Amino acid sequence: MDIHEYQAKEILAALGVPMPRGGLAYSPEQAGYRARELGGSAWVVKAQIHSGGRGEAGGVKLCRFEEEVRDYAGTLFGRSLVTKQTGAQGKQVYRVWVEGASDIAQELYLGFVLDRKSERIMIVASAHGGMEIEDLAETDPDSLRRMVIDPAVGLAEYQARELAFGLGLRGGQVAQMVNILRACYRAYRDLDATMVEINPLVVTGTGDLVALDAKMSFDTNALYRRPQIAELRDPSQEDPRESHAADAGLAYVGLDGDIGCIINGAGLAMATMDMIKLAGGEPANFLDIGGGASPERVAQAFRTVLSDGNVSVILVNIFAGINRCDWVAEGVVKAYRAEKLTLPVVVRLAGTNVEEGRRIIAESGLPLITADTLAEAADKAVAARLDRAS
Ligand code: GDP
Ligand code: MN
């Protein structure tokens, strides 16, 4: 789960990371008021959306007058901001952060991520920050420094100092960097984060380190024990198709094609995506019904997949181990009738109780298209889609 920049800043500031003072606004007037309240002669107005790359997309602006703050905020509210990371539909701006402008001498990059290879938290840092880490890895890979943290020891002081020196920091900056690194590590470990990023971490004109941006993501599976983090969820920033499914306890991933997929298990989902593409089609989404799916759950899965207006064919692909094909078949028949479906549905069942499942499909009298293999199912889904289009 992602949170907003201002929320990440609040968490990190409480742990001692230095950053500019700022305030949140829900309207242009409030943004102007925030600027006056903060004082000073320049402010940075920042769209709060769950995405980086806002600067390039016109979502961050340095303003010199209170009216400028208000007017620029006015252009942001309610607007959909399209960044490199959002996809074409962009993300809606409902909150704006106003903070005192900083004098920037140098921009550094600092990130904490999970390194799956070493199964440890890893720090990634660069003396050349500002740009996104993906771009940095491409244009300036040699500037990237990586450091893995031993969970039994935690982030050792000498490690933090070594990293600070490696980034070219000197004098008092080293101690400042050590504090920042420790705070980020604590935030990451104690709050079940999956990512902490400060980009840019700047050296100001007076030589001090200040976090100008902050980003945090959290492990969804740990939210039950982090109620104060779970509260930060902002559904306005989520794909409505995905939040709807999450509320129903289903794992759903939205894609751009038109073949809706109901599958059990992530591995089978991947294989099904591949087969659809191989057959010349594009998946609209995939919904993992998991193990032990009841007919009601299957029916719920249908409703979720159908809530995507781009879907023109549904492909049900179940390899039942824990699941039972007869239950899935019952769910398909039930959903087909209840939703009064007119679009083609391809069903491929294999595994536990498959004969019973196929019998239920065959005897339902519904125009369900059946397939024995995954390849056949993918071909039939693509063909049904073309038939419909023509
Ligand atoms: P992002 O593009 O979504 O990552 O948003 P950032 O918060 O990183 O802001 C983008 C860029 O705006 C930064 O890399 C800075 O170059 C610039 N910026 C942000 N805050 C300030 C500031 O206080 N002063 C100045 N001069 N530039 C800033
Ligand atoms: Mn940034």
Side-chain angles (χ1 to χ4, degrees):
M1 184 191 83
D2 294 336
I3 61 173
H4 287 293
E5 170 196 6
Y6 79 92
Q7 294 167 328
K9 279 182 163 170
E10 223 161 77
I11 291 172
L12 296 174
L15 292 168
V17 175
M19 51 189 74
R21 286 197 314 126
L24 191 68
Y26 290 92
S27 70
E29 293 69 34
Q30 210 180 359
Y33 177 73
R34 288 290 179 224
R36 194 179 335 149
E37 192 180 54
L38 288 164
S41 55
W43 303 272
V44 179
V45 179
K46 310 179 78 174
Q48 297 298 290
I49 54 168
H50 287 182
S51 170
R54 294 163 302 165
E56 277 177 19
V60 176
K61 192 178 182 221
L62 182 74
C63 299
R64 304 262 171 211
F65 306 98
E66 195 184 311
E67 303 77 63
E68 202 185 350
V69 169
R70 198 187 54 216
D71 294 348
Y72 172 63
T75 68
L76 288 177
F77 281 110
R79 182 178 138 199
S80 176
L81 202 60
V82 179
T83 74
K84 265 193 211 162
Q85 301 173 358
T86 58
Q89 74 289 353
K91 295 221 165 159
Q92 296 280 324
V93 185
Y94 296 112
R95 307 175 199 187
V96 160
W97 178 247
V98 182
E99 70 179 21
S102 305
D103 171 21
I104 305 175
Q106 188 193 349
E107 297 191 324
L108 309 169
Y109 174 88
L110 176 61
F112 283 64
V113 291
L114 180 69
D115 178 36
R116 291 178 191 279
K117 209 163 127 212
S118 62
E119 301 176 358
R120 288 174 181 197
I121 298 172
M122 180 169 73
I123 306 176
V124 183
S126 165
H128 306 154
M131 65 179 106
E132 297 302 315
I133 181 69
E134 293 81 7
D135 299 330
L136 200 55
E138 217 165 85
T139 58
D140 196 6
D142 295 338
S143 80
L144 288 178
R145 298 178 167 270
R146 296 183 178 81
M147 188 169 265
V148 167
I149 303 171
D150 183 336
V153 181
L155 177 61
E157 166 110 17
Y158 81 88
Q159 267 190 313
R161 292 176 63 83
E162 193 181 303
L163 187 63
F165 277 114
L167 292 169
L169 301 174
R170 294 294 177 262
Q173 293 168 347
V174 175
Q176 289 179 18
M177 187 63 174
V178 169
N179 280 336
I180 292 170
L181 290 168
R182 288 189 146 174
C184 291
Y185 178 63
R186 258 190 77 186
Y188 192 111
R189 192 199 52 190
D190 294 356
L191 299 174
D192 292 310
T194 53
M195 193 263 290
V196 174
E197 188 185 70
I198 300 180
N199 184 31
L201 173 66
V202 303
V203 179
T204 64
T206 53
D208 292 311
L209 290 178
V210 176
L212 284 204
D213 189 12
K215 207 169 167 182
M216 287 185 79
S217 297
F218 296 89
D219 183 350
T220 330
N221 295 312
L223 286 179
Y224 73 94
R225 62 180 188 189
R226 304 279 169 233
Q228 76 281 27
I229 300 297
E231 230 168 56
L232 303 179
R233 180 178 164 200
D234 181 356
S236 80
Q237 300 297 304
E238 296 168 0
D239 183 329
R241 299 175 300 179
E242 288 178 21
S243 18
H244 180 235
D247 292 342
L250 298 161
Y252 177 95
V253 176
L255 300 162
D256 298 327
D258 65 346
I259 301 179
C261 302
I262 296 174
I263 303 164
N264 68 310
L268 190 61
M270 293 304 133
T272 308
M273 305 292 105
D274 286 348
M275 284 310 234
I276 287 174
K277 293 218 171 197
L278 205 62
E282 288 291 334
N285 50 47
F286 69 82
L287 193 145
D288 180 358
I289 58 167
S294 63
E296 287 68 34
R297 203 168 149 84
V298 174
Q300 172 66 47
F302 262 84
R303 281 195 291 279
T304 303
V305 167
L306 284 168
S307 69
D308 180 341
N310 291 331
V311 171
S312 62
V313 181
I314 293 182
L315 170 58
V316 180
N317 183 24
I318 303 294
F319 194 99
I322 305 170
N323 277 310
R324 294 172 41 176
C325 288
D326 51 331
W327 279 20
V328 173
E330 263 179 50
V332 170
V333 169
K334 198 168 162 177
Y336 199 98
R337 293 211 171 102
E339 304 295 318
K340 299 189 174 60
L341 289 189
T342 53
L343 45 77
V345 177
V346 180
V347 185
R348 182 254 176 168
L349 300 173
T352 309
N353 294 359
V354 64
E355 287 79 19
E356 181 63 6
R358 286 185 183 155
R359 192 188 57 76
I360 292 169
I361 299 281
E363 290 177 4
S364 70
L366 297 173
L368 296 162
I369 304 163
T370 56
D372 290 336
T373 67
L374 174 48
E376 188 190 342
D379 283 340
K380 285 187 167 171
V382 172
R385 161 180 168 259
L386 293 178
D387 283 351
R388 229 172 107 81
S390 62

